[in-house]
Amino acid sequence: MTTQAFIHDEPASRVIFGCGSRQQVATELDALGARRALVLTTPDQVALGESIAALLGERSAGVYPGAVMHVPLEAARKALDVARECGVDACVAVGGGSTIGLAKAIALESSLPIIALPTTYAGSEMTPLYGITSDGQKQTGRDWKVAPRTVIYDPELSVSLPLAISVSSGMNAIAHAAEGLYAHNASPVHRLMAEEGIRALAKALPALQRDPGDLEARGNALYGAWLCGAVLGRVQMGLHHKLCHVLGGSFNLPHAELHTVMLPHALAYNAEAAPQALQALARALGTDDGIAGLIELGQRLGAPRSLQQIGMPAHGLERAADLAVAAPYPNPRALERTPLRALLQRAFDGVDPR
């Protein structure tokens, strides 16, 4: 029992979990009092979107496959126009962070409720966080009206997720929880959720490497992603997420892969200032050293290790360092440009973060 003072805030959320649970999408539309919904997907997931639209029958306004990475402002505006033209009173987002991000951008302007059916482990479906990219910079915000009202976790929907994307998406989810372990406003409950989420994903991802069709492992991964996403949505993130927003929005780097590369480096930067967080990470990974365990997990899974590997231009490192210290945000260790610039160089080169 902790004697430390804390505040635990837990906004209501509804989760439907289990194989085949996508069959309940129309029932969940009823629960929202909605009559007609627009199904959102990326261009590559149209067939999946159409299968969900078929479950809605005449209540579907069709599939809009306009979701793209980092939610460009022009893409968000176009999707909002389509939703208004269709006269819908809800959106059904089927996919990963890009699709759910687009639904959030629509909800931000229209307050349309969202039902999310995640197919990756990004965790965005459990948060009030949104991000829209304009003029090369990703602007982020927090508003509970953009959080999906219902989340349907169906492990069968993630079976077709390629192993490489499963790995990067799962490592992305681990990043949410790992930074939640040292968040200044995290309660003991949040930290328990974070540790359990990391543990579940660290178990599930190697199992998926052995058999991508393993439904139990898919379920464990979604369970872990749920917990990690819930932590992300309820506490304030620090250096790691700031760096990923800077790099992703300014240089259009792939979101999940970026989180995978940057996490060990951000944790190493904060290690001396947050020893208890690193101890919890080590417990979750079943190792004596949390950062070493994370690196080993990534290597075992074949995850990317360097910014250069995922398309970061070397000439952008100076600008990234400037942007990283441009605005204050909570972090266990003070933010200093010189060590942050060195951190970025190590991440670019893919060398040991310590």
Side-chain angles (χ1 to χ4, degrees):
M1 180 70 181
T2 182
T3 57
Q4 180 184 1
F6 64 88
I7 296 174
H8 181 77
D9 187 15
E10 191 64 33
S13 61
R14 180 170 171 82
V15 171
I16 312 295
F17 200 105
C19 289
S21 56
R22 63 188 180 280
Q23 300 289 336
Q24 299 183 50
V25 64
T27 302
E28 292 305 310
L29 202 63
D30 288 336
L32 293 177
R35 301 179 306 278
R36 184 172 169 83
L38 180 65
V39 179
L40 306 174
T41 71
T42 62
D44 294 334
Q45 290 186 300
V46 174
L48 177 58
E50 289 175 343
S51 71
I52 300 301
L55 294 174
L56 294 173
E58 294 182 354
R59 301 173 68 183
S60 167
V63 176
Y64 179 74
V68 293
M69 190 169 61
H70 300 305
V71 195
L73 178 60
E74 57 273 19
R77 286 174 172 168
K78 184 175 180 181
L80 179 60
D81 288 342
V82 171
R84 285 171 171 163
E85 289 168 5
C86 292
V88 299
D89 51 6
C91 287
V92 175
V94 188
S98 296
T99 302
I100 294 168
L102 180 62
K104 289 180 173 183
I106 294 173
L108 186 65
E109 295 298 321
S110 66
S111 297
L112 288 177
I114 302 166
I115 296 176
L117 291 88
T119 60
T120 72
Y121 312 127
S124 175
E125 68 280 355
M126 291 305 298
T127 82
L129 307 174
Y130 63 88
I132 300 173
T133 301
S134 178
D135 298 325
Q137 291 196 36
K138 191 169 187 176
Q139 304 296 321
T140 60
R142 182 185 186 92
D143 191 324
W144 278 103
K145 78 176 181 179
V146 309
R149 299 279 292 278
T150 300
V151 181
I152 299 176
Y153 287 107
D154 188 337
E156 293 175 354
L157 293 181
S158 66
V159 169
S160 61
L161 188 66
L163 179 61
I165 300 177
S166 298
V167 167
S168 59
S169 179
M171 295 295 283
N172 179 21
I174 287 174
H176 303 330
E179 201 161 49
L181 289 171
Y182 56 60
H184 75 97
N185 63 334
S187 76
V189 176
H190 294 136
R191 294 190 180 97
L192 284 172
M193 292 168 65
E195 189 171 332
E196 172 67 1
I198 294 169
R199 185 205 61 77
L201 280 158
K203 176 183 177 182
L205 295 177
L208 289 177
Q209 187 179 43
R210 293 189 293 271
D211 178 9
D214 184 339
L215 272 178
E216 182 178 358
R218 290 287 177 189
N220 284 335
L222 279 177
Y223 165 69
W226 167 24
L227 293 174
C228 293
V231 171
L232 172 68
R234 287 154 179 78
V235 305
Q236 284 188 284
M237 297 287 107
L239 174 64
H240 171 75
H241 281 75
K242 174 66 173 183
L243 288 175
C244 289
H245 286 147
V246 164
L247 294 166
S250 300
F251 304 101
N252 199 38
L253 302 180
H255 181 84
E257 291 84 350
L258 175 59
H259 278 267
T260 303
V261 170
M262 293 305 300
L263 182 59
H265 296 274
L267 291 174
Y269 184 93
N270 285 327
E272 291 188 6
Q276 291 183 333
L278 271 293
Q279 291 167 9
L281 176 63
R283 285 195 302 270
L285 296 174
T287 183
D288 294 330
D289 183 322
I291 295 175
L294 193 65
I295 294 170
E296 181 187 359
L297 177 63
Q299 290 175 337
R300 194 187 338 161
L301 297 172
R305 295 189 60 188
S306 73
L307 289 176
Q308 186 176 24
Q309 187 179 350
I310 62 173
M312 175 71 188
H315 65 77
L317 295 175
E318 293 293 337
R319 181 177 177 224
D322 289 338
L323 291 172
V325 295
Y329 48 92
N331 192 66
R333 176 182 168 185
L335 304 170
E336 304 172 67
R337 191 191 185 284
T338 298
L340 283 176
R341 176 62 179 83
L343 178 161
L344 288 166
Q345 189 65 54
R346 288 191 294 272
F348 181 82
D349 295 332
V351 300
D352 192 304
R354 297 162 296 184

